[in-house]
């Protein structure tokens, strides 16, 4: 920060520092040094004083020493040749009788960060490891890691590593934790510090002595340990039990994570741990610090994916108060949606209704989207609220309501009539492109039920020149052509104008191409275009799959207590930002709106398609990879619906028996991670109605993919049966 | 773990930086400023910001952003708790945690940060251990220093506490007056709706202790009604097994001030609401004006007086001014921030405080569609509103007889009434 007079100041300071009378007076000397440090922290370059400052470091005054160490660490990389002068003083301090001076000198020597320093610090660091004061040992242990950082390409000294492993038995708990931290850094290339059985047990036994930071770190390191047998596992869990309810959030969550990881094979233990950790987590959700509250809420939001029912009784804790920052309120709304059940739905909706008129448009819209998500289960109540919100005639509210309507109509066809009535009586105009897209889609898809549809669309077509968003234009094209199919007389003229404009004048190639496509389709004849564009305007099965399903704990446990949780936006927002999958009725299946579920790691695909003949050939050639019962209720729906639903999770049903026949069979296939999976589902009357027998063949074999496939199939069937029952 | 720390004022001025691993340019804070620009208020800046090479975890406290720069995966709660600990330490040392006090004591701040973190890992964070290594500034000491010209404010010796078997207590503590004080502080978080029905209420309590006892005392604290408490969390010194079995707190206390436990009382029926509020805020359809009428009175106070009652109302933007009269306390309306503050003071049974008058609105603006929320602040001495009572405190392990005291205070936390 070059500012006026800085040269003068430097000169003056230089003079003062070398003035013998000031040097003799400790207090005055220190004050001059203090001024230099002040200037440094303000961003002024005071490195020209380095020489004088090094001299000043040979003082007995502790504060002055600390200040000078700070100065040296800042400027040593800039003046490596002069910094060498300081090393002598530092090395002398490393042999001081006061452990505090020794520790300080050692720590700062390691912090100098200049080339070639390693040869000077190696000896003091190694001596520090055996120092009798724990304070020095703590510093020396971390010094080993710093030394490694200074020359990353150098070989790791095996002797030092062994010494550090040995120091894990140090009587001072902080030295022990620092050893873990240092080893982790030094051995990064080899996968970090190794936790074997004796080390793990040692750490567990000493956990109680550590401060909360040490506990949190140690618990994270312990995640690497795999207990040998059940007895050991339960011994460990017993030791950890008390920490689940620690008053430090970091310790409590770290313990919970370790519990979930260790007890991966014991769902009952996991459930128990989750319910015991509920108290501390809820307490953190109400903590005085905004940031802690937010972090805790993010954790709870993730927990809810598996244990929503446990928290349902506490829904009132997630009501927002107006003084809370937006990010907390968004998080709380997400949680409220997950917690809704038959008993609290009325109160939750009333609460969310109050948020809809929030001053911040972003929050108001989030509240409306939240109501929309609840609307997928309790459509009537929510529709009432949403329609009444339209009456407020606030632009951002109307836009959000229309977007929710679009989703609702798509997912719950029973809403269509009410939505159409509301849209028909809509008067105000919408400005933002998201809202426009939603309105235009609704008009296009349900134009036959909205009497004013052509006139509204005509307005948009007339003002097309002023429209900036090409997404809106694309939407408008599709909607107009769709409307033409249901109400040709009123639409033909304006469709002509629209196509003419888009083909002749439009600059955006996507829009022009789409217009040309529709034009050629229209030339082919109305029947063809009806076949292509006239796809379903709702898809209830999507709603089922997007709806609630309990996820296994393991699907999120690895991310628990990590930054990922806090950064992850609500899954719904992410889905929304994928952008108007509704708009492209003709490419309906291209974007599958399935929530990022537990199986996201496994990507199934239908491509390349398999012909029935080649399926048969494969089926006869291959050996059975897996035979087993699937315990899940049988969806009582038509096989066609089953086929459509499974297609959405990228499983193709190739053939199936007639609906009511028993035994009933279906043949499925899918591709996943480069393997082909063939499956036969057999429903047999002899073994009870809910019993399905699954026979699978896979080439090439991959057990992991096969398990993923079974899980996907199972969750799809479950979702479907919940919908139909 | 924590790579660097920046302290940033709300005006966007970086007034302190400290690097532990390598020096990271100040420009990394630009991402924070960007987020601050998007947020309507500094409180709204998200605590975690991802940048291309780092993560910024920030805590906003006392008009200062504490920004930690992170380069590897860390448990987020860990960093957030640590930043709060840093702020609390400053508060403890300088009496207040503000830009001015940090700048004044920049040397001590650097000394503290140096001891609290090494290579990015927490080293010593317990206040009483830090205070032995670095003496807090006091007026007396600075006077003495000026006169004698010597003695630094750094302890020359290492704290012995680090070497005792119990990490939170040093050995060889000696006091002439042996005393143990406990403050039971409860905060009511509640939301009342228009008609005064409770939408949501819970009590958050803490027990703060100030224990100055010689030697290694072993204390046992028991309550009259421990079953009241949900979600308790303890200082690490409390023996959890005994709490689970007998519901008593048994512990060897740290030396000095510490938080013994914090707890919640959620059962709605148990939460007594100490005041009632009758309010009527309405805006007229025509004539761009409105009316306001608020009455506050004591309800379930168990015979104690309610003090320091302050009602804050955030008015809609269109309210230009308020013309109000009250029979107790003072009321002010700030037309810039649109905040109405009614400072009532003590509530007494005979005369019920009332505030009424008219509001003038911006002419031509539409009638605001939502009514403002009242925010209430209050304080009741000598009462824990949950009814929690300390039964007795026993001491073992030492011969002397300590002086013991328990104080109860109830405060309003997030207490709001909707209109």
């Amino acid at each position: 920060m070059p500012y006026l007079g800085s040269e003068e100041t430097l000169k003056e300071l230089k003079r003062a520092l070398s003035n013998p009378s000031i040097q003799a007076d400790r207090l005055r000397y220190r004050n001059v040094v203090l001024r230099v440090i002040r200037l440094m922290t303000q961003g002024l370059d005071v490195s020209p004083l380095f020489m004088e400052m090094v001299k000043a470091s040979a003082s007995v005054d502790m504060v002055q020493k600390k200040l000078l160490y700070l100065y040296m660490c800042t400027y040593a990389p800039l003046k490596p040749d002069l910094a060498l002068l300081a090393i002598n003083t530092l090395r002398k301090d490393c042999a001081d009788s006061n452990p505090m001076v020794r520790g300080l000198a050692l720590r700062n020597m390691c912090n100098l960060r200049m080339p070639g320093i390693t040869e000077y610090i190696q000896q003091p660091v190694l001596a520090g490891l055996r120092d009798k004061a724990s304070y020095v040992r703590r510093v020396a242990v971390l010094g080993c890691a710093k030394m490694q950082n200074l020359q990353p390409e150098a070989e790791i000294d095996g002797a030092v590593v062994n010494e550090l492993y040995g120091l894990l038995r140090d009587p001072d708990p902080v030295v022990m934790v620092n050893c873990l931290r240092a080893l982790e850094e030094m051995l990064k290339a080899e996968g970090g510090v190794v936790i074997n059985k004796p080390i793990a047990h040692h750490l567990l036994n000493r956990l109680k002595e550590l401060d909360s930071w040490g506990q949190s770190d140690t618990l994270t390191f312990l995640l690497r340990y795999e207990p040998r047998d059940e007895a050991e596992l339960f011994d460990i869990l017993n030791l950890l039990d008390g920490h689940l309810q620690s008053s430090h959030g970091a310790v409590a969550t770290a313990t919970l994570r370790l519990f979930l990881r260790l007890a991966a094979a014991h769902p009952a233990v996991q459930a128990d741990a989750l319910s015991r950790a509920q108290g501390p987590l809820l307490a953190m959700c109400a903590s005085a610090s905004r940031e802690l509250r937010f972090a805790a809420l993010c954790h709870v939001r993730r927990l809810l994916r598996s244990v929503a029912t446990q928290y349902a009784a506490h829904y009132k804790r997630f009501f927002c108060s107006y003084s809370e920052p937006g990010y907390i309120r968004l998080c709380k709304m997400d949680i409220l949606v997950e917690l809704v059940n038959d008993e609290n739905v009325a109160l939750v909706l009333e609460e969310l209704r109050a948020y809809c008129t929030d001053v911040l448009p972003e929050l108001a819209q989030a509240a409306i989207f939240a109501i929309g998500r609840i609307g997928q289960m309790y459509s009537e109540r929510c529709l009432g609220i949403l329609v009444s919100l339209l009456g407020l005639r606030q632009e951002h509210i109307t836009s959000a309501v229309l977007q929710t309507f679009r989703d609702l109509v798509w997912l719950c066809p029973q809403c269509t009539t009410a939505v159409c009535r509301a849209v028909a009586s809509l008067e105000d105009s919408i400005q933002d492109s998201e809202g426009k897209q939603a309105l235009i889609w609704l008009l296009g898809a349900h134009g036959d039920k909205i009497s004013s549809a052509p006139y509204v669309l005509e307005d948009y077509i007339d003002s097309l020149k002023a429209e900036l968003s090409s997404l809106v234009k694309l939407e408008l094209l599709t909607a107009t052509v769709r409307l033409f199919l249901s109400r040709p007389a009123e639409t033909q003229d304006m469709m002509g104008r629209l196509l003419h404009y888009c083909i002749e004048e439009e600059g955006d190639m996507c829009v022009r191409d789409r217009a040309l496509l529709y034009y050629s389709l229209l030339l082919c004849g109305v029947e063809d275009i009806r076949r292509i564009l006239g796809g379903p305007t709702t898809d209830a099965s999507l709603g089922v799959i997007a709806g609630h399903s309990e996820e296994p704990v393991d699907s999120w446990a690895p991310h628990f207590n990590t930054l990922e949780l806090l950064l992850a936006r609500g899954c719904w927002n992410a889905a929304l930002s994928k952008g108007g999958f509704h708009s492209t009725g003709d490419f309906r299946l291209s974007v599958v709106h399935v929530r990022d579920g537990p199986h996201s790691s496994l990507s199934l695909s239908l491509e390349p398609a398999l012909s029935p003949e080649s399926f048969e050939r494969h089926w006869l050639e291959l050996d059975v990879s897996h035979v087993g019962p699937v315990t899940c209720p049988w969806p009582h729906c038509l096989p066609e619906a089953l086929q459509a639903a499974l297609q959405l999770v990228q499983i193709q049903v190739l053939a199936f028996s007639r609906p009511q026949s028993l035994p009933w069979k279906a043949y499925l296939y899918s591709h996943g991670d480069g393997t082909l999976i063939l499956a036969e589902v057999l429903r047999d009357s002899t073994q009870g109605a809910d019993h399905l027998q699954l026979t699978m063949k896979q080439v090439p074999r991959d057990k992991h993919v096969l398990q993923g496939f079974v899980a996907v199939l199972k969750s799809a069937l479950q979702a479907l049966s919940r919908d139909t029952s | 773990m924590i790579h660097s720390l920046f302290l940033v004022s709300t005006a966007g001025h970086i007034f302190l930086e400290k690097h532990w691993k390598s020096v990271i340019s100040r420009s990394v804070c630009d991402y924070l400023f960007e987020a601050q620009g998007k947020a309507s208020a500094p409180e709204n800046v998200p605590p975690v910001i991802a940048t291309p090479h780092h993560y910024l975890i920030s805590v906003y406290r006392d008009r200062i952003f504490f920004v930690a720069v992170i380069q590897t995966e860390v448990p987020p709660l860990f960093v957030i708790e640590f930043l709060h600990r840093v702020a609390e330490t400053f508060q403890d040392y300088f009496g207040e945690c503000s830009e001015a006090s940090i700048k004044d004591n920049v040397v001590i701040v650097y000394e503290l940060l140096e001891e609290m973190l090494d290579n990015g890992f927490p080293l010593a964070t317990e206040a009483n251990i830090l205070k032995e290594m670095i003496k807090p500034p006091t007026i007396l000491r600075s006077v003495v220093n000026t006169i004698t010209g010597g003695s630094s404010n750094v302890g020359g010796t290492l704290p012995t506490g680090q070497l005792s078997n119990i990490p939170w207590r040093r050995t060889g503590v000696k006091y002439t007056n042996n005393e143990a004080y406990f403050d039971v502080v409860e905060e009511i978080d509640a939301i009342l709706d228009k008609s005064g029905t409770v939408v949501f209420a819970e009590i958050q309590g803490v027990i703060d202790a100030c224990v100055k006892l010689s030697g290694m005392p072993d204390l046992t604290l028991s309550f009259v009604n421990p079953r009241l408490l949900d979600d308790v969390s303890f200082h690490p010194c409390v023996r959890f097994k005994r709490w689970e079995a007998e519901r008593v707190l048994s512990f060897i206390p740290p030396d000095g001030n510490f938080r013994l436990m914090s707890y919640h009382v959620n059962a709605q029926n148990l939460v007594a609401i100490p005041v009632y509020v009758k309010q009527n805020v309405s805006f007229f359809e025509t004539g761009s004006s409105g009316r306001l009428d608020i009455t506050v009175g004591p309800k379930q106070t168990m015979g104690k007086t309610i003090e320091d009652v302050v009602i804050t109302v955030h008015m809609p933007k269109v309210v230009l001014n308020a013309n109000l009269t009250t029979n107790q306390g003072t009321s002010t309306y700030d037309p810039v921030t649109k905040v109405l503050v009614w400072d009532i003071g003590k509530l007494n049974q005979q005369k019920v405080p009332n505030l009424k008058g008219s509001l003038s609105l911006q002419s031509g603006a539409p009638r605001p569609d939502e009514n403002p929320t009242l925010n209430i602040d209050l304080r009741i001495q000598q009462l824990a509103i949950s009814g929690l009572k300390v039964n007795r405190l026993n001491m073992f392990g030492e011969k002397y007889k300590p002086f013991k005291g328990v104080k109860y205070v109830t405060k309003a936390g997030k207490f709001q009434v909707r209109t």
Side-chain angles (χ1 to χ4, degrees), chain B residues 338-390:
Chain B
K338 310 287 180 199
V339 178
L340 170 70
V341 180
W342 180 25
D343 190 338
I344 302 170
K346 245 179 219 175
L347 282 189
N348 47 6
Q349 296 280 8
Q350 291 77 33
K351 197 178 70 172
V352 180
N354 171 271
L355 176 76
K356 64 177 162 190
S358 61
L359 304 169
S360 52
L361 308 187
Q362 206 173 331
S363 56
R367 199 166 66 102
D369 29 60
E370 210 197 356
N371 280 331
T373 318
L374 312 185
N375 214 22
I376 299 175
D377 208 11
L378 56 88
R379 186 178 188 88
I380 310 170
Q381 300 283 4
Q382 291 312 321
L383 173 73
I385 194 88
S386 65
L388 185 74
K389 271 218 163 74
V390 172

Side-chain angles (χ1 to χ4, degrees), chain A residues 34 41 98 107 113 135 146 185 213 247 249 286 289-291 316-317 321-322 325 327 351 562-563, chain B residues 21 44-45 55 60 73 78 81 84 104 107 110 114-115 118 125 156 199 204 234 266 314 416 418:
Chain A
L34 197 59
T41 57
N98 184 344
R107 186 191 302 154
R113 284 191 279 272
Y135 184 81
K146 289 180 194 164
E185 260 188 55
W213 320 112
S247 63
S289 142
R290 275 184 294 276
E291 294 80 12
K316 280 197 176 170
R317 296 208 167 194
S321 82
Y322 80 100
Y327 54 87
E351 187 70 20
T562 63
L563 280 173
Chain B
K21 292 193 131 173
N44 283 348
V45 177
Y55 288 108
Y60 179 72
E73 178 61 59
F78 182 102
E81 279 192 359
H84 277 290
D104 285 347
V107 174
Y110 272 114
E114 185 78 37
E115 291 298 341
D118 185 16
T125 51
V199 179
Q204 306 203 37
F234 300 115
N266 329 320
H314 288 260
Q416 68 181 80
R418 294 177 176 170

Side-chain angles (χ1 to χ4, degrees), chain A residues 25-27 30 34 37-38 41-43 61-63 66-67 70 98-100 104 107-108 111 113 133-135 138-139 142 145-146 149 172 174 178 181-182 185 208-214 216-217 220 238 241-242 245-251 253 276 278-280 282-284 286-287 289-296 299 314 316-317 319-327 351 354-355 357-360 392 394 561-564 566-567, chain B residues 1 14-23 26 40 43-50 55 57-61 70 72-78 80-82 84-85 103-107 110-111 114-115 117-119 121-125 133-134 145-146 149-159 162-163 167-168 189 191 198-200 202 204 231-236 240-241 244 262 264 266 268 312 314 317 369-370 373 375 414 416 418:
Chain A
D25 182 346
R26 263 169 71 186
L27 200 65
R30 194 206 299 168
L34 197 59
I37 302 290
R38 282 249 161 83
T41 57
Q42 281 161 16
D61 186 4
M62 194 77 146
V63 176
K66 283 192 182 176
L67 291 176
L70 179 68
N98 184 344
M100 195 143 174
L104 271 175
R107 186 191 302 154
N108 286 288
N111 279 345
R113 284 191 279 272
S134 61
Y135 184 81
R138 292 175 183 179
V139 173
L142 287 179
K146 289 180 194 164
N149 278 342
D172 185 74
V174 181
N178 278 358
R181 291 161 173 163
E185 260 188 55
K208 272 207 178 104
E209 301 167 28
L210 301 176
D211 58 357
S212 60
W213 320 112
S216 168
D217 270 358
T220 316
N238 276 336
D241 198 52
Q245 310 211 331
S246 161
S247 63
H248 286 268
V251 180
T253 45
R276 281 164 57 77
Q278 186 182 11
L282 282 174
M284 266 195 290
S287 123
S289 142
R290 275 184 294 276
E291 294 80 12
L292 278 181
R293 221 151 58 209
F294 172 67
H299 280 95
H314 298 281
K316 280 197 176 170
R317 296 208 167 194
F319 283 3
C320 310
S321 82
Y322 80 100
S323 52
E324 281 174 324
Y327 54 87
E351 187 70 20
Y355 305 154
T357 47
D358 197 278
V359 195
L360 289 177
L392 292 174
Q394 296 267 356
N561 199 23
T562 63
L563 280 173
E564 197 234 71
L566 272 72
L567 287 169
Chain B
M1 186 162 273
I14 304 170
F15 61 91
L16 195 115
E17 58 184 300
K18 169 96 182 130
H19 306 279
W20 280 276
K21 292 193 131 173
S22 54
V23 178
R26 287 180 166 215
S40 53
E43 295 89 25
N44 283 348
V45 177
V48 182
I49 300 170
Y55 288 108
I57 299 190
S58 64
V59 161
Y60 179 72
R61 252 179 97 137
I70 309 290
T72 48
E73 178 61 59
V74 289
L77 283 162
F78 182 102
I80 293 175
E81 279 192 359
F82 181 80
H84 277 290
R85 181 65 69 85
K103 274 182 175 168
D104 285 347
N105 296 296
V106 77
V107 174
Y110 272 114
E111 283 180 53
E114 185 78 37
E115 291 298 341
L117 276 187
D118 185 16
N119 205 24
F121 300 112
L123 204 59
T125 51
M133 292 200 269
I134 302 153
N145 281 358
T146 334
S151 115
S152 59
N153 53 354
V154 173
T157 53
L158 270 179
Q162 301 184 345
L163 304 172
W168 54 84
D189 288 353
I191 301 176
V198 180
V199 179
F200 158 79
E202 71 172 4
Q204 306 203 37
D231 302 346
V232 282
S233 70
F234 300 115
H235 189 274
F240 190 62
K241 287 265 146 57
E244 276 195 323
S262 51
H264 280 247
N266 329 320
Q268 302 258 335
T312 322
H314 288 260
K317 284 219 167 59
D369 29 60
E370 210 197 356
T373 318
N375 214 22
K414 287 167 268 180
Q416 68 181 80
R418 294 177 176 170

Side-chain angles (χ1 to χ4, degrees), chain A residues 156-173:
Chain A
I156 300 166
D157 189 350
V160 175
V161 172
N162 280 339
E163 180 118 20
L164 288 179
Y165 271 117
L167 275 174
L168 285 175
R169 308 262 165 204
D170 195 278
D172 185 74

